[in-house]
Amino acid sequence: MSAEVTLLGVRHHGPGSARAVAAALERLRPDAVLIEGPPEADPIIGLAGEKDMVPPVALLAHAVDDPARAAFWPYAEFSPEWVAIRYGVERELPVRFIDLPAAYGFAVTEEADPGPDEAVPGDPIALLAEAAGHDDPERWWEDVIEHRTPGADEFAPFAAVAEAMTALREEGVGERRRDELREAYMRQQIRAARRAGHRRIAVVCGAFHVPALAAMPTVAHDRALLAGLPKKVRTDITWVPWTHRRLSRLTGYGAGIASPGWYHHLFAASGDPLPKWLARAAELLRAEDHPVSSAHVIEAVRLARTLAVMRGRPLAGLTETLDAVRSVMCDGSDVALELVRDRLVIGDALGTVPDAAPAVPLQRDLSRLQRSLRLKPDVEPRDLDLDLRRENDAARSRLLHRLRLLGVEWGVPVRSAVHSTGTFRESWRLCWQPEFAVRIAEAAQWGTTVEDAAVGKAVGTARAAVELAELTGLVETCLLAGLGGALPAVMRVLADCAALDTDVAHLAGALPALVRALRYGDVRGTDNGALAEAATGLADRICVGLPPACTGLDAAGATAMRGHLDEVHGAIGLLEPADAPDSPDAPDASGDLADRWAAALRSLARREPTGGPATGVPGLLRGRAVRLLLDDGRLGSEEAGRRMGLVLSVANVPADAAGWVEGFLTGGGALLLHDPRLLGLLDAWLTAVPAEVFTDVLPLLRRTFSALEAGVRTTVGSRVAAGPLDAAAAPAGTDGALLDQARADAALPTLALLLGLPGGLPRIPLQAAGRDT
């Protein structure tokens, strides 16, 4: 008696196909079930029957020597393949995957591009929909397959789909070399099932492959096709949790679906699915404070069914249902409708797999830590506030930092809702993604536990690093993650790199991370001796090299250096705060680090351009240096005003003066309100800028004042609009200006000599002098 092979052609992840497969299997009662999928998973296919195995799940295969080469085969409850797997496992039937092994797929880097005369494969379903007169393939497929319920002949849908696919393949639609290889391998597995003595064999595969599997060529033909396969790559495979949201993307079979939550409802709901789904939508909207009643649900059901009739559809599909929700429940609002799309049409269902599923030791250690720390993986984003003074919270923090180091971004640091300046608080945004399973497999090369793997990854990253800032950031990460075992090796690489790096910008970019690490060391009980020494050494080198490094910078370079200046200033304030600020007239040479930094800022502030931009420090940086000294109390307000007056004099280039003002006011303009002299200087300079230059400095000024606080801008505008500001604040060269009489008298003899006046010039009080004096 010859074996009977029944081909059940399906579309992956389709509820109508899944129902049809379930009905056909009940009618056929096969003694073997063959399913399109990776044969490497045959040993673990029995886990599908465990009670802890809850779809959506996926088979994850990866190359042992290169875990980044991985592939997923996802299954939902409404996937026809999953229905066939559960049917066979529950009845203890032989269930086998018959697709081309993943080991061959990993050996092929990529499929060759089609030549100029080779047609690009088309979408069979789109072509069938077009032939039927429909412009929307998804809607057509829903009408003819997914909305159907099994009839008297359970095999009729499969026969119709097979006939359609045969017609397409006769026209050469969608055929590719890889599909030929896959189909040859599937035919080999069907022959093997026959030889094993099975008499009723059910084959569940993509509908496109049915014609190729029905017309069995000779064994020699298939062997010849498979002879060119590359050498197998050693492969591991396991079950991993999946999500409905991931099913909505083109992964696995390349059969991403736009509405997995809707399809799940169509498959799981008994009776008419429309009222139940709209009731769920109403419940969701009410939970978000939208006024939706049972009357809205009734009217939405009526409208959806009416739209289906008007559009010639057998049942209301997703399009009609969403149109009804928008019109009746959301009052035409697309914002509320988007909530329904996200929560119900797509959904965030996360599957589970049993502990017996194969896993690398690193994954098992992570699962143990998740249980012990009570951190359940969840695809729904949630915020987590940690108090590092508590042992459990500190352990959670270390785990999340270690996973980030390993490339598993389960948690992302966010700004805390509790605006605390202490270092004992951390806030995270947690969101688990199924693809983290691949990254964990990749990270397994560094160690068998999360801690060991993080230490190995940190040391490997340090040895491969080329930027100093990368190393200091790695040091900070090691401290946050509690990786004391990695710090000695990382610090050795850091010391070598810092000794060779002479770029002040690199040093400035590296210092803040070290200082932050020192701050965190206090609350985490870390030995900071080596860190403090490295940070102090970097700071000393920055103090020495800062003024020359700021000379001759262009606009972009000056902007970047200003950011470094602010970061280093804050870092030095945390690293070694001065006991008490010295007086404005104190000498630049001081013993401690804070005084040395102040001396570097003073040197920076004095380096004005004398022979063009390349001869001095840009005004942006000079103004910023003055502001930092003023904020620290190392420069008096009178001296700051004097320097502003000199910069804003008519002798200076307006663009340089505008840059100085930007640097001086960055970070807060409230000092203009507390010191009318500064506001008067600025107002007088701005009104005296020549018209031909004003358009050049306007973008700088607009950027400067737009960054000020709204209240400051309003108050400054009110004061300027109220009338003339203090005349004593006007700079040299403006009417009614108060200038330095002693400095002006010192210039008179030289001026008399230049003019050839032996009797000298008469002394004129400048307070009474006009602009032309």
Side-chain angles (χ1 to χ4, degrees):
M1 181 178 179
S2 62
E4 177 186 355
V5 178
T6 303
L7 301 175
L8 304 177
V10 299
R11 190 187 189 195
H12 308 296
H13 316 311
S17 296
R19 285 193 298 267
V21 166
L25 291 177
E26 286 293 342
R27 174 70 179 275
L28 181 63
R29 296 193 178 278
D31 57 4
V33 180
L34 308 183
I35 301 170
E36 179 184 334
E40 291 93 340
D42 285 351
I44 60 173
I45 202 169
L47 294 174
E50 298 287 337
K51 64 178 181 178
D52 294 334
M53 180 75 84
V54 180
V57 293
L59 287 168
L60 164 62
H62 64 86
V64 174
D65 298 330
D66 185 8
R69 286 192 288 171
F72 293 100
W73 287 262
Y75 302 105
E77 186 177 353
F78 52 83
S79 299
E81 298 86 356
W82 181 256
V83 170
I85 291 172
R86 291 297 297 265
Y87 177 90
V89 170
E90 289 173 357
R91 290 161 180 76
E92 298 182 352
L93 300 176
V95 181
R96 299 288 182 267
F97 286 117
I98 62 171
D99 202 351
L100 193 68
Y104 289 127
F106 295 147
V108 180
T109 55
E110 61 181 12
E111 193 166 333
D113 294 332
D117 299 328
E118 185 178 351
V120 178
D123 180 4
I125 294 178
L127 294 173
L128 289 174
E130 182 181 358
H134 288 256
D135 57 355
D136 188 339
E138 294 297 324
R139 188 171 60 183
W140 175 80
W141 184 263
E142 279 191 357
D143 288 346
V144 299
I145 297 295
E146 305 307 344
H147 289 167
R148 286 178 57 94
T149 55
D153 185 356
E154 292 83 354
F155 302 105
F158 300 106
V161 171
E163 183 181 359
M165 292 299 170
T166 300
L168 288 175
R169 296 199 63 151
E170 288 176 351
E171 298 296 327
V173 174
E175 294 185 356
R176 296 178 298 179
R177 170 65 178 174
R178 179 171 175 78
D179 285 331
E180 292 179 356
L181 295 175
R182 294 173 61 196
E183 289 158 358
Y185 193 87
M186 290 186 207
R187 290 191 291 264
Q188 294 279 49
Q189 300 308 303
I190 294 173
R191 294 186 184 103
R194 284 173 169 172
R195 290 194 299 270
H198 299 298
R199 290 292 173 258
R200 294 185 306 279
I201 302 172
V203 179
V204 180
C205 63
F208 183 76
H209 303 300
V210 169
L213 301 185
M216 296 283 284
T218 63
V219 175
H221 174 271
D222 289 341
R223 285 178 178 174
L225 279 175
L226 298 174
L229 286 173
K231 183 180 179 181
K232 281 187 177 182
V233 173
R234 196 157 58 98
T235 303
D236 278 346
I237 195 166
T238 187
W239 290 102
V240 296
W242 206 247
T243 67
H244 277 173
R245 193 168 299 279
R246 293 294 297 176
L247 279 172
S248 67
R249 305 179 186 176
L250 292 178
T251 54
Y253 300 110
I257 52 176
S259 51
W262 167 258
Y263 273 11
H264 176 80
H265 178 78
L266 291 181
F267 181 76
S270 57
D272 189 351
L274 183 60
K276 297 177 182 179
W277 195 88
L278 288 172
R280 291 176 57 201
E283 182 182 2
L284 171 64
L285 291 171
R286 281 196 296 268
E288 297 294 332
D289 295 329
H290 290 274
V292 180
S293 66
S294 56
H296 287 87
V297 177
I298 295 171
E299 289 302 319
V301 171
R302 289 176 178 172
L303 178 57
R305 288 173 175 168
T306 302
L307 289 173
V309 173
M310 294 176 61
R311 294 170 181 174
R313 305 193 67 181
L315 293 172
L318 181 60
T319 303
E320 289 73 30
T321 304
L322 291 181
D323 286 345
V325 170
R326 179 194 288 111
S327 300
V328 178
M329 297 184 181
C330 301
D331 295 326
S333 170
D334 285 334
V335 176
L337 182 66
E338 191 60 33
L339 177 67
V340 176
R341 288 183 185 275
D342 185 68
R343 301 282 184 85
L344 296 183
V345 176
I346 296 177
D348 277 317
L350 174 65
T352 61
V353 300
D355 293 337
V360 294
L362 179 61
Q363 175 64 65
R364 296 196 180 280
D365 185 60
L366 174 58
S367 299
R368 178 187 62 80
L369 291 172
Q370 288 171 333
R371 289 192 297 269
S372 64
L373 298 177
R374 298 187 296 279
L375 278 177
K376 182 181 178 181
D378 196 343
V379 296
E380 187 71 24
R382 67 183 181 97
D383 292 334
L384 178 67
D385 288 321
L386 300 179
D387 186 340
L388 302 181
R389 296 170 297 185
R390 301 174 182 170
E391 183 178 351
N392 191 66
D393 281 2
R396 288 176 169 183
S397 173
R398 288 192 295 270
L399 174 62
L400 294 174
H401 280 294
R402 289 170 181 176
L403 290 176
R404 292 194 76 207
L405 180 60
L406 294 173
V408 181
E409 298 278 346
W410 178 21
V412 178
V414 295
R415 182 183 294 275
S416 174
V418 182
H419 298 288
S420 171
T421 58
T423 59
F424 60 85
R425 185 179 299 278
E426 279 186 352
S427 294
W428 297 81
R429 174 71 52 81
L430 302 183
C431 184
W432 185 263
Q433 300 295 333
E435 58 265 27
F436 290 161
V438 177
R439 298 177 190 173
I440 293 171
E442 290 183 81
Q445 62 180 305
W446 300 106
T448 57
T449 66
V450 174
E451 181 177 1
D452 290 344
V455 169
K457 179 66 178 297
V459 174
T461 302
R463 291 171 178 169
V466 295
E467 296 289 341
L468 186 59
E470 183 180 358
L471 285 168
T472 55
L474 183 60
V475 170
E476 180 184 18
T477 301
C478 288
L479 280 178
L480 297 176
L483 302 178
L487 271 178
V490 176
M491 289 300 298
R492 283 195 298 271
V493 179
L494 172 63
D496 294 341
C497 186
L500 297 175
D501 200 329
T502 59
D503 191 322
V504 172
H506 291 172
L507 300 177
L511 180 63
L514 276 183
V515 175
R516 288 195 301 268
L518 283 170
R519 273 191 94 195
Y520 275 97
D522 295 336
V523 73
R524 297 171 189 270
T526 307
D527 182 10
N528 294 331
L531 287 179
E533 182 179 351
T536 303
L538 285 181
D540 284 335
R541 294 175 62 190
I542 293 171
C543 291
V544 172
L546 181 66
C550 294
T551 302
L553 295 177
D554 59 10
T559 302
M561 187 59 75
R562 186 194 67 182
H564 290 315
L565 205 64
D566 289 342
E567 291 179 352
V568 172
H569 184 76
I572 289 180
L574 294 173
L575 182 62
E576 187 182 347
D579 294 333
D582 57 0
S583 65
D585 298 326
D588 287 348
S590 302
D592 63 5
L593 179 59
D595 287 340
R596 294 195 294 278
W597 174 245
L601 292 177
R602 290 192 182 95
S603 176
L604 198 67
R606 289 194 298 263
R607 296 198 174 203
E608 300 182 2
T610 57
T615 62
V617 174
L620 178 69
L621 299 180
R622 301 199 319 274
R624 194 64 194 146
V626 171
R627 176 62 184 273
L628 294 177
L629 290 170
L630 178 64
D631 289 347
D632 275 2
R634 295 180 177 272
L635 194 69
S637 59
E638 290 293 328
E639 175 64 14
R642 186 186 72 83
R643 293 187 182 225
M644 176 181 278
L646 293 174
V647 169
L648 299 183
S649 66
V650 294
N652 283 333
V653 178
D656 185 72
W660 195 98
V661 170
E662 180 183 1
F664 186 74
L665 294 181
T666 297
L671 55 87
L672 292 177
L673 306 179
H674 299 303
D675 194 339
R677 173 181 170 79
L678 297 180
L679 182 57
L681 286 167
L682 186 60
D683 179 62
W685 168 77
L686 185 58
T687 57
V689 173
E692 62 273 12
V693 181
F694 184 78
T695 54
D696 294 333
V697 300
L698 181 60
L700 292 175
L701 295 173
R702 183 177 180 85
R703 182 175 64 192
T704 300
F705 283 94
S706 65
L708 300 182
E709 303 89 335
V712 171
R713 294 199 304 270
T714 302
T715 307
V716 167
S718 299
R719 290 190 180 180
V720 173
L725 298 171
D726 184 8
T734 61
D735 294 340
L738 261 180
L739 301 182
D740 191 327
Q741 183 72 56
R743 293 181 65 188
D745 289 344
L748 289 179
T750 303
L751 184 57
L753 181 61
L754 292 174
L755 296 176
L757 301 176
L761 288 174
R763 182 179 182 274
I764 302 175
L766 292 176
Q767 289 86 341
R771 164 170 283 189
D772 298 327
T773 300

